[in-house]
Amino acid sequence: SDAPVVEKSPLKSGPATERVVVVIIDSMGERNGNDPQLMPKLATLNQNTLSGPQESCVANFTLPCLLTTFEGRESPFLKALDNFSASASTHPNWIQSMRNKGSRIAIVSDHTLLQLYPQSFVIGENYEALKLPQDQRDKHAFERGLNWVKNREHDVIIVHVVGTDKASHRYHPGTPEYRKAFGDADEFVGQLTNLLDFKKDSLLVLGDHGHDDGGHHNRKAWYAMAGPHVTRQELKVNQSSLFYLLSRVTGVPLPPEYEGSLLWTAFNDNESESSWRTTQAKAWDLQEDSRETLNQERERRAEERTQRPLKNALNFLPWWLNLAFILSALTRLFQSKIELQKGFLRGQILWMTA
């Protein structure tokens, strides 16, 4: 459903605390995120926090997979056909929800995120528009992301790294160019890890999709999450469930159309979870906020989505029956007209031969 009109809170002021940094490493799959030779800094992060395989969106392209990540639902496949010309999303999403809370959001990316959520950020840099050479775009993104973390003027920082996808397509796994692209992204992750305080700050590193030996997209992506109350384990997730991870560390409730899982084991069961459950129960109009109640509501909503196409078809049934009746009547009328014409012709022939 479309996002309701929500009043935006005034932007926060002063040094940013409890920051959230999201790093999208384009085309980072299991083969990269779980390879200590290729990405040793990320491998260290994996060992010390929450991480694991991530099944990316069905459409398997950047735009729909980013929609799935930040909206918690499988993006319509038609969005895949529009992959390189993003239009503003009207659905509830985590980025806009953070802006509505007053968060100061900075994004460095290609056009995709900036066009999907144009009213959400205070700084949005499109390195395509800067006319930077391909091999300089990631370097620029790394520098901007690190500077934003250091100056503490932004509550949410999103960095989209695209050179890794270019290297996967153009040079393929195992080549020096491929290893350099992922190595540079890994070094950036390591620098962020050293700058952030995971007792207060959160870091989500994710691939929008993965790739195979030929550099073609597949759904075998990877993610890693560090932050307050995050558990240390390997946990396989689907991409829509990444919204849950962002929801838990920021208090933004899951949207009505959320299709992911409730990953209770991803966080410690403490006062933080209790507070989040209360917020989520209110968002879903529930009287109780227990895990069981929230699980049941998620399942009910999933079942409702499954039955929605059938209900829509049944709603149109009277219309289809009326249409069938009209077509049947027109067919009979047409046939009657033909029979009259045939009778008239037979009469004419008999008269002429008499």
Side-chain angles (χ1 to χ4, degrees):
S1 60
D2 290 351
V5 176
V6 178
E7 290 293 329
K8 293 181 180 179
S9 298
L11 290 172
K12 297 176 182 178
S13 60
T17 58
E18 300 180 355
R19 298 165 294 175
V20 180
V21 180
V22 179
V23 179
I24 304 155
I25 302 179
D26 211 302
S27 202
M28 184 183 74
E30 291 182 44
R31 66 186 306 143
N32 318 113
N34 201 26
D35 183 351
Q37 300 300 317
L38 183 66
M39 304 187 78
K41 303 293 197 306
L42 181 58
T44 300
L45 186 66
N46 292 337
Q47 294 173 359
N48 295 317
T49 188
L50 179 71
S51 64
Q54 174 215 154
E55 185 177 46
S56 64
C57 73
V58 174
N60 211 18
F61 289 98
T62 293
L63 187 150
C65 288
L66 291 181
L67 284 170
T68 297
T69 297
F70 292 113
E71 297 182 7
R73 65 188 188 100
E74 192 66 47
S75 172
F77 185 73
L78 286 177
K79 281 291 185 182
L81 304 179
D82 195 34
N83 187 45
F84 301 107
S85 56
S87 55
S89 174
T90 59
H91 289 270
N93 63 84
W94 178 78
I95 297 176
Q96 189 61 53
S97 294
M98 290 300 292
R99 169 59 191 90
N100 292 342
K101 290 181 62 175
S103 295
R104 297 159 292 181
I105 300 173
I107 301 175
V108 58
S109 172
D110 63 5
H111 67 281
T112 312
L113 275 176
L114 303 177
Q115 292 181 12
L116 281 176
Y117 308 113
Q119 304 299 320
S120 62
F121 47 83
V122 294
I123 295 181
E125 286 198 5
N126 178 357
Y127 36 65
E128 295 170 327
L130 298 176
K131 308 298 183 182
L132 293 171
Q134 288 282 353
D135 60 352
Q136 294 297 310
R137 293 180 180 182
D138 284 358
K139 181 180 178 182
H140 175 79
F142 300 150
E143 290 175 351
R144 296 303 285 152
L146 291 172
N147 285 337
W148 288 337
V149 170
K150 291 174 182 176
N151 67 30
R152 289 186 169 272
E153 294 178 358
H154 303 94
D155 308 287
V156 175
I157 298 168
I158 303 176
V159 180
H160 186 182
V161 181
V162 295
T164 44
D165 185 64
K166 307 298 183 187
S168 301
H169 287 301
R170 186 174 302 172
Y171 302 109
H172 302 163
T175 61
E177 295 86 354
Y178 175 92
R179 298 189 69 84
K180 182 179 187 307
F182 279 94
D184 290 346
D186 183 64
E187 185 63 31
F188 174 58
V189 170
Q191 291 174 302
L192 285 175
T193 301
N194 291 333
L195 289 172
L196 296 170
D197 178 3
F198 291 134
K199 293 180 180 179
K200 298 179 180 179
D201 303 319
S202 300
L203 172 65
L204 175 61
V205 182
L206 66 112
D208 52 345
H209 51 75
H211 60 273
D212 59 21
D213 290 338
H216 307 296
H217 293 187
N218 64 28
R219 299 181 66 192
K220 298 179 180 179
W222 187 265
Y223 81 99
M225 178 79 176
H229 314 297
V230 175
T231 57
R232 177 181 175 181
Q233 62 169 315
E234 182 172 309
L235 181 66
K236 184 175 182 178
V237 304
N238 58 50
Q239 194 162 60
S240 56
S241 297
L242 295 179
F243 194 115
Y244 174 88
L245 301 181
L246 293 170
S247 170
R248 284 293 303 270
V249 297
T250 59
V252 168
L254 303 174
E257 295 293 310
Y258 178 69
E259 296 177 2
S261 301
L262 300 181
L263 306 173
W264 299 115
T265 64
F267 295 84
N268 293 313
D269 182 4
N270 53 23
E271 291 182 5
S272 174
E273 180 189 305
S274 177
S275 176
W276 180 86
R277 290 202 315 265
T278 300
T279 299
Q280 189 57 50
K282 182 179 180 181
W284 280 352
D285 293 324
L286 301 175
Q287 299 300 314
E288 297 183 13
D289 62 1
S290 66
R291 285 187 179 186
E292 182 181 3
T293 300
L294 290 168
N295 285 337
Q296 290 173 348
E297 178 63 12
R298 190 198 71 83
E299 292 169 4
R300 185 194 69 77
R301 289 169 180 262
E303 180 66 21
E304 186 179 78
R305 285 192 300 272
T306 302
Q307 295 178 356
R308 194 174 296 161
L310 176 60
K311 288 182 178 179
N312 290 339
L314 291 175
N315 288 336
F316 278 100
L317 184 59
W319 187 88
W320 286 113
L321 291 175
N322 286 332
L323 179 61
F325 175 79
I326 292 171
L327 291 175
S328 176
L330 289 174
T331 301
R332 290 196 300 270
L333 181 63
F334 182 70
Q335 290 173 340
S336 298
K337 186 176 181 180
I338 291 176
E339 291 299 323
L340 286 172
Q341 289 176 339
K342 286 181 178 178
F344 175 76
L345 288 173
R346 283 196 296 269
Q348 290 290 94
I349 293 170
L350 290 173
W351 180 79
M352 292 175 66
T353 57

